[in-house]
Amino acid sequence: MTDIFSAIQRTAIRIKDAIDTKDIGYSQQENSSGETQLQLDIKCDMIIEEEFSHVNSIHTIASEEKEREVLLHKDGKYFIAYDPLDGSSLIDVNLSVGSIFGIYEGAFGAKNMVASCYVVFGPRVEMVFAHNKTKLHLLQGKEFEFVKEIRLNEKGKLNAPGGTQQNWKPYHKEMVDSFFNEGYRLRYSGGMVPDLHQILLKGGGLFSYPNTSDKPDGKLRKLFEVFPFAFIFKMAGGEAIDGSVDLMELEYAHIHDTSACFFGSKYEIQRVREVYAKNKY
């Protein structure tokens, strides 16, 4: 695991340099979701694959930017699914973006996840790595230094509701509004990594991306985004569900399979369970 952690640190330093200097214009290519790729998306994907290719313990990788898995080392035992640059369209307005890594042993799937990591590229570059604990690291020069262990409170103060409101189900909107009525503050940049990072570092809250009329199976991808953050939140003392079921109990049909997802402190997730249980049918 140490060799993978080191490789992720190297990718983070190289991606930071790419963000600072690389052309962010659109390419002529599309990713697995049919979205036109930024030049920077392609560059970051290449950086990660190159660094991982030098780590013999990595068997297979799957990227949000690639249609299929890529075998690296047939004798490796780890499978890594990653989003090279989540929220990359925010770079041209200078908002924070991030990279997400889900580390699985033996095969992809939530039940095989052994570690998870994400990197935030903002005013500072920070890395959160969850294995036995959820730990925060800060880039200092060319090295990441351990800062602290992250633990969520039982109840938070932030509310980050994803998806277009006109496509929400009425009971979901009522639930979101109820948190605001309790005094929760809106924090939503459109980037999954910075929004979830803020909830983690501020002690709790709720990030929600429900099934919607335009995305009935959810928008966020299980292997690249949902499972990694579910692992991190649970390791930090929070919870993560799809509205009723623990996200880490979900199966996946293909590497780009999606799901509704709710991440937060215990108080907020219990509220989600209650609301969604009443409106299940």
Side-chain angles (χ1 to χ4, degrees):
M1 191 64 68
T2 302
D3 53 355
I4 294 174
F5 184 51
S6 296
I8 292 174
Q9 292 182 68
R10 293 195 299 272
T11 70
I13 293 168
R14 292 180 62 186
I15 288 173
K16 171 180 164 45
D17 290 341
I19 290 172
D20 289 344
T21 59
K22 182 64 181 175
D23 174 23
I24 62 170
Y26 286 96
S27 70
Q28 300 301 310
Q29 303 178 47
E30 292 185 348
N31 64 14
S32 60
S33 300
E35 301 163 337
T36 302
Q37 293 171 299
L38 290 170
Q39 296 282 358
L40 191 56
D41 288 319
I42 298 170
K43 176 66 174 178
C44 294
D45 191 32
M46 291 172 60
I47 288 171
I48 294 171
E49 182 173 354
E50 181 182 332
E51 291 292 346
F52 284 174
S53 70
H54 300 309
V55 181
N56 292 330
S57 64
I58 300 176
H59 184 283
T60 296
I61 58 173
S63 168
E64 193 266 345
E65 299 297 330
K66 290 183 172 68
E67 187 65 35
R68 297 179 179 82
E69 306 167 14
V70 176
L71 172 65
L72 293 184
H73 306 99
K74 61 182 179 62
D75 294 325
K77 66 176 181 178
Y78 294 111
F79 289 62
I80 302 182
Y82 61 91
D83 187 343
L85 201 61
D86 181 74
S88 56
S89 62
L90 298 174
I91 287 178
D92 61 356
V93 292
N94 208 27
L95 293 178
S96 296
V97 296
S99 300
I100 312 169
F101 304 86
I103 304 166
Y104 307 85
E105 186 171 342
F108 291 118
K111 66 179 181 295
N112 299 319
M113 179 164 274
V114 292
S116 178
C117 178
Y118 70 85
V119 181
V120 183
F121 303 97
R124 304 190 300 185
V125 178
E126 295 183 325
M127 174 186 294
V128 171
F129 192 90
H131 183 35
N132 297 318
K133 297 178 180 179
T134 298
K135 297 180 178 181
L136 173 68
H137 301 77
L138 174 65
L139 182 63
Q140 298 284 279
K142 293 294 182 181
E143 299 288 336
F144 277 92
E145 294 183 2
F146 171 74
V147 177
K148 65 178 181 179
E149 180 185 350
I150 298 173
R151 296 294 298 175
L152 288 170
N153 299 325
E154 288 289 312
K155 182 180 185 297
K157 299 178 180 179
L158 304 181
N159 193 6
T164 305
Q165 290 194 36
Q166 68 180 29
N167 298 322
W168 289 351
K169 294 175 181 173
Y171 60 83
H172 179 80
K173 178 171 174 47
E174 290 175 8
M175 180 189 72
V176 169
D177 289 343
S178 73
F179 284 115
F180 289 132
N181 292 336
E182 284 186 34
Y184 281 66
R185 297 189 294 273
L186 174 65
R187 293 292 185 271
Y188 193 79
S189 70
M192 184 183 191
V193 172
D195 290 340
L196 282 166
H197 186 61
Q198 184 169 189
I199 288 172
L200 281 166
L201 293 194
K202 294 295 186 180
L206 178 67
F207 176 98
S208 55
Y209 209 114
N211 296 331
T212 57
S213 58
D214 60 331
K215 298 286 184 181
D217 297 318
K219 178 184 178 182
L220 300 175
R221 298 164 183 81
K222 292 178 180 178
L223 292 181
F224 310 107
E225 298 161 320
V226 174
F227 294 160
F229 269 109
F231 188 91
I232 287 168
F233 265 73
K234 294 189 71 176
M235 198 65 66
E239 295 191 36
I241 62 174
D242 69 352
S244 58
V245 178
D246 187 320
L247 290 172
M248 297 304 292
E249 295 178 4
L250 299 182
E251 300 291 338
Y252 79 100
H254 51 82
I255 65 169
H256 294 284
D257 205 10
T258 60
S259 174
C261 52
F262 300 82
F263 308 92
S265 320
K266 293 183 183 297
Y267 172 84
E268 292 85 16
I269 296 300
Q270 181 56 35
R271 175 83 68 80
V272 174
R273 282 198 182 95
E274 292 169 357
V275 169
Y276 272 71
K278 291 178 182 177
N279 295 279
K280 188 172 183 180
Y281 301 106

